[in-house]
Amino acid sequence: MNEDIQISAGTLQHRLGPAPAVAVLLGSGWAPFAAQVQGGAEVAYADLPAFPALGVGGHQGLVRAGHIGSTPVAVLAGRKHAYETGNADGMLGAIRTLAAWGVKLLLQTNAAGSLDAAMRPGELMLISDHLNIVQRSPLIGEPGDHRFQDMSSAYDPALRAQARAAAAAMGSSLYEGIYAWVLGPQFETPAEIRMLRAFGARAVGMSTVPETIIARHAGMKVLALSMMTNMAAGMENEVLSHAHTLATANAASERAVATLAAVVQALEV
Ligand code: HPA
C-alpha cells in the first residue's frame, strides 16, 4: 500500500476511531448533511497526505465522523473534480484511504441536470448505472490484472432496494436512472443532451463516475444519489449557470438531507 494512504488511514483511525461502515461523499448542494452528524470529530484533508488539495471556492475539505441516530457514519466534504486538471484520479488516494481505514460503502451525492421532463429541479435520483462517455479512468497506470475491474452492478442492487424502501417509508419521492458523466466544466449543448438521452441517460453531471470506479476497484460497495438542480441544456428556455445550480440545490437541500439521513440509517451494509 502507498505510504500516503497508510499514513492517512492511520490518522483517521487515531483521530476519529474505528471506521464506520458507511462514508458519504458530499457533492454540490449536499453540504448541510454534515450538520446532521452528531457527536463527531473532524480531520482536515490538509492533515491527510493521500487527500487532494482543494481549490478555493467553497469546498472545505473535511472528514467528519459521528452518528446519525445510532448509525455511525463518516462524511467527506470536498471533492476534486476531473474538470480541474483533466485527470480522473483526483480522489484516488482519498477513497483508497477510506477502504484502508475499513469503510465498506461509499455513498456518493451530487448535483445533476435532468434529462427527463417529468423529473423536475429539486427531485432526487438514485443512480442505477452510469455512462462514462468521457472515457477517462482513474485506474490508468495501474499494474496487474486487478486493473480490469468489473463494472456490472457497480451501484449495489440490494442497497438500492433498501434506499428506495427508506425513501418510500418517509414519503420522499425518489427516481432511479442512468447518470452520464461529462468532463465539463462547460455545460452541455442541446445536441449533446439529445445524444445522452438516446443513450439512455436520465441525468447528467460532472462527478461521481471516477469515484465509483476507484471505490469498486478498492473493494467497496457504492450507492449514489443525484439532486436535480436544473433541466438539462435545450430542454427549457433557460441559461445554465453554476449560481443557478447552487440556488436550486439550496432550496432543495432540506428534503434531500432528510432523505439521505433516512437512507443512511436504513442501510444494512
Ligand atoms: N450538466 C452537467 N453537470 C451538472 C448539471 C448539468 O446540467 N447540473 C448540475 N451539474
Side-chain angles (χ1 to χ4, degrees), residues 111-113 182 187-188 204-206 229-230 232 240 245:
V182 292
F187 287 105
E188 302 69 50
V204 60
M206 302 177 195
T229 53
N230 55 279
L240 302 184
T245 294

Side-chain angles (χ1 to χ4, degrees), residues 17 26 56 80 85 87 90 99 138 141 149-150 170 214 222 228 247 256 269:
L26 298 177
V56 283
K80 190 90 178 165
T85 60
N87 299 319
Q149 174 62 40
D150 174 55
M170 65 181 285
I214 296 163
V222 176
M228 298 309 121
V269 181

Side-chain angles (χ1 to χ4, degrees), residues 88-146:
D89 63 355
M91 295 299 285
L92 190 71
I95 292 168
R96 287 184 176 170
T97 296
L98 295 179
W101 184 25
V103 170
K104 304 289 178 231
L105 167 67
L106 181 67
L107 202 175
Q108 299 203 61
T109 60
N110 63 36
S114 173
L115 280 69
D116 176 348
M119 185 166 67
R120 307 301 303 171
E123 293 290 358
L124 303 176
M125 188 189 93
L126 196 57
I127 298 181
S128 59
D129 202 347
H130 73 223
L131 286 165
N132 178 357
I133 62 154
V134 177
Q135 282 295 295
R136 287 187 199 192
S137 173
L139 303 179
I140 298 295
E142 280 295 310
D145 287 354
H146 181 47

